[in-house]
Amino acid sequence: NVIGGGDWATDRLLPDILHAIDSETPLTIRSPGAIRPWQHVLEPLSGYLTLAEHLYKDGQAFAEAWNFGPADDNVQTVGWILEQTAQRAPKLEWQITASEQPHEASYLKLDSSKARSRLTWHPRWRLQTALDKTLDWHQAWCGGGDMHAITLTQIDEYLNTAPAPNR
């Protein structure tokens, strides 16, 4: 449920959406009501870098399992992701499959309270921003943009967004 530019993995919602847009083919969706803790790749990356700093300075006191995820009020359904993307890419079409599918949890959540309290790590980008940055990156890539510069700009924008401790 981590999103960001340059992800071309198969069987992941955003790469599959972008492939459907680029190829102008309908996307098949399994569970539009499934809720996921979507976040931009820079969010957990910043968390792991913060953790690495604490491990380097304080050692064993931080050598344990950690979650880095969005705030509870910032999770959305697969359908929401589709609708938001369709606002920017009106040619996006999807259909919900009626075929038998493997069981999937309808609601996934990450508890990042430990990272927030012990590492003072907090997410910086709300989901809408994360989705916009992902779509901006892909649009620039499709247009032959300077992806090194685009990526560095997005990293700079991320770093210059203040963490929101109450999220």
Side-chain angles (χ1 to χ4, degrees):
N1 305 310
V2 173
I3 62 175
D7 181 358
W8 287 281
T10 57
D11 296 325
R12 291 182 30 84
L13 184 62
L14 253 297
D16 289 350
I17 287 173
L18 296 172
H19 176 73
I21 293 167
D22 294 346
S23 65
E24 297 183 8
T25 57
L27 178 65
T28 301
I29 298 296
R30 293 187 308 266
S31 305
I35 297 171
R36 300 290 182 256
W38 311 101
Q39 61 182 329
H40 195 276
V41 65
L42 293 175
E43 297 290 7
L45 178 59
S46 75
Y48 284 114
L49 289 171
T50 301
L51 175 59
E53 183 179 2
H54 281 274
L55 285 167
Y56 181 78
K57 289 179 183 176
D58 305 312
Q60 288 298 332
F62 290 89
E64 53 193 77
W66 296 87
N67 285 326
F68 302 100
D72 291 345
D73 69 345
N74 202 34
V75 298
Q76 289 292 343
T77 65
V78 167
W80 185 91
I81 297 287
L82 289 164
E83 293 291 339
Q84 294 301 309
T85 305
Q87 288 181 14
R88 291 207 25 197
K91 291 184 178 181
L92 174 62
E93 295 181 26
W94 66 89
Q95 57 200 17
I96 300 168
T97 183
S99 65
E100 189 71 25
Q101 298 294 318
H103 173 72
E104 287 185 283
S106 61
Y107 183 83
L108 294 181
K109 177 183 173 185
L110 289 173
D111 180 359
S112 301
S113 58
K114 182 170 73 170
R116 288 176 173 86
S117 66
R118 291 191 51 209
L119 300 174
T120 64
W121 173 86
H122 300 278
R124 295 172 187 249
W125 282 350
R126 304 283 296 170
L127 177 54
Q128 185 65 59
T129 301
L131 184 57
D132 288 342
K133 297 297 182 185
T134 302
L135 297 174
D136 291 347
W137 193 99
H138 187 77
Q139 185 176 24
W141 179 78
C142 287
D146 178 347
M147 300 321 297
H148 181 257
I150 301 282
T151 302
L152 290 179
T153 297
Q154 286 193 354
I155 292 169
D156 188 54
E157 290 168 351
Y158 178 83
L159 292 174
N160 287 306
T161 302
N166 58 348
R167 289 191 203 163

